[in-house]
Amino acid sequence: MGTLDGKAAIVSGSGRGIGQAIALKLAAEGASVVVNDLDAEPAQETVAAIESVGGTAVSCVGSVTDAEFGERFVQTAVDNFGGLDIIVNNAGYTWDSVIQKTTDDQWDAILDVHLKAPFRILRAAQPVISEAVKRARTTGVAVYTRKVVNISSLAGTGGNPGQANYSAAKAGVIGLTKTLAKEWGRYNVTVNTVAFGLIRTRLTASSADTGRTIEIAGKTVKVGVNPDVLTAAEQAIPLGRGGTPSDAAGAVYLFCIPESDYVTAQTLVCSGGLTM
């Protein structure tokens, strides 16, 4: 018996890295998971990994920034699993520049993926959750606690040089979280944020490595972190190391379990003790 048996979860950006670790963790605890990635291959790899250990998962491939994606993502859970219990808004990437060199395209792209996309997914989820709660109350069934976990960053809680767009988006996620916690409390939904510090993924690997780019909507975006900055950051972490995707998934999981049913509108910093 898993702590999340019978629950249906959607996790954006779960074909790789932190999102994949979150999907695997939720599935390992019994949740049925809708896996999302921009590309079909990594999404299917996560689905296959879940199914290989007896879990249940389906994929919903596409960009979270597409106007219709939120409805399609939510409906995939409803069609395949009969409802929606856990929402994890994780998808994202960085596109850094100091502010005088940040273009409108850079600003808009990062705000779209980190803030508008979660907004659209949550907006699409509201009618599904509201109807399920009304139906339960009409039939006299107790309304159980559903969970939303939005992903922010230390950049969103304290700012970060070269990341005006990312910091603004991740600060906005915290505001979105606090507002939805107040709006959705009547549905017995908790809405919380996990703010990550340095988590080691392909997006935070050393920029000294060759080929540190990703393709997003036809654009080639440089990723990676200056190796000197990486070294300094790890030296500043009280636990002495950067986090792993598994560490990150564990923090998200804490907000998905019954033991956190009376915790909402909170931001949990998962950084090994690093502060900005």
Side-chain angles (χ1 to χ4, degrees):
M1 293 288 290
T3 57
L4 302 178
D5 280 353
K7 305 299 184 185
I10 60 176
V11 184
S12 66
S14 47
R16 305 174 174 91
I18 293 171
Q20 182 183 62
I22 293 168
L24 292 172
K25 177 64 175 177
L26 299 184
E29 294 298 332
S32 300
V33 182
V34 179
V35 173
N36 158 256
D37 197 89
L38 190 62
D39 302 312
E41 185 174 353
Q44 191 53 46
E45 287 175 358
T46 301
V47 170
I50 290 171
E51 291 178 339
S52 71
V53 292
T56 302
V58 296
S59 66
C60 181
V61 176
S63 172
V64 295
T65 62
D66 289 345
E68 84 293 343
F69 177 80
E71 285 81 3
R72 185 163 62 87
F73 198 24
V74 169
Q75 195 61 42
T76 300
V78 174
D79 290 346
N80 287 274
F81 307 135
L84 180 58
D85 306 296
I86 298 168
I87 301 170
V88 181
N89 283 307
N90 165 79
Y93 62 98
T94 57
W95 191 0
D96 298 347
S97 288
V98 290
I99 195 165
Q100 67 270 25
K101 295 182 179 179
T102 300
T103 66
D104 285 356
D105 281 349
Q106 279 179 279
W107 178 268
D108 291 343
I110 297 303
L111 268 290
D112 282 352
V113 72
H114 289 284
L115 191 53
K116 184 182 280 188
F119 153 71
R120 284 172 165 166
I121 291 167
L122 294 167
R123 182 177 61 184
Q126 190 279 339
V128 172
I129 292 172
S130 175
E131 177 57 31
V133 170
K134 289 176 183 176
R135 187 166 58 248
R137 287 174 176 161
T138 299
T139 57
V141 176
V143 177
Y144 61 87
T145 305
R146 290 175 170 85
K147 310 282 189 166
V148 174
V149 186
N150 296 319
I151 302 304
S152 185
S153 165
L154 285 182
T157 62
N160 201 34
Q163 292 189 320
N165 53 358
Y166 182 69
S167 297
K170 289 305 192 183
V173 165
I174 294 172
L176 177 64
T177 295
K178 291 181 180 296
T179 298
L180 263 291
K182 293 180 177 180
E183 289 189 11
W184 287 10
R186 66 184 184 272
Y187 304 133
N188 207 25
V189 176
T190 66
V191 189
N192 293 290
T193 307
V194 176
F196 295 135
L198 175 60
I199 306 296
R200 288 289 200 167
T201 70
R202 67 188 181 119
L203 300 183
T204 59
S206 171
S207 59
D209 298 341
T210 58
R212 303 303 305 162
T213 62
I214 57 174
E215 295 293 326
I216 303 289
K219 297 183 178 68
T220 300
V221 178
K222 291 182 179 180
V223 296
V225 180
N226 181 291
D228 294 333
V229 172
L230 270 181
T231 299
E234 293 209 329
Q235 289 174 346
I237 297 172
L239 288 182
R241 62 175 179 84
T244 66
S246 180
D247 293 325
V252 172
Y253 173 68
L254 294 177
F255 280 136
C256 297
I257 59 177
E259 287 80 356
S260 63
D261 279 358
Y262 200 62
V263 179
T264 194
Q266 301 304 304
T267 298
L268 171 65
V269 176
C270 175
S271 67
L274 180 67
T275 57
M276 298 300 289

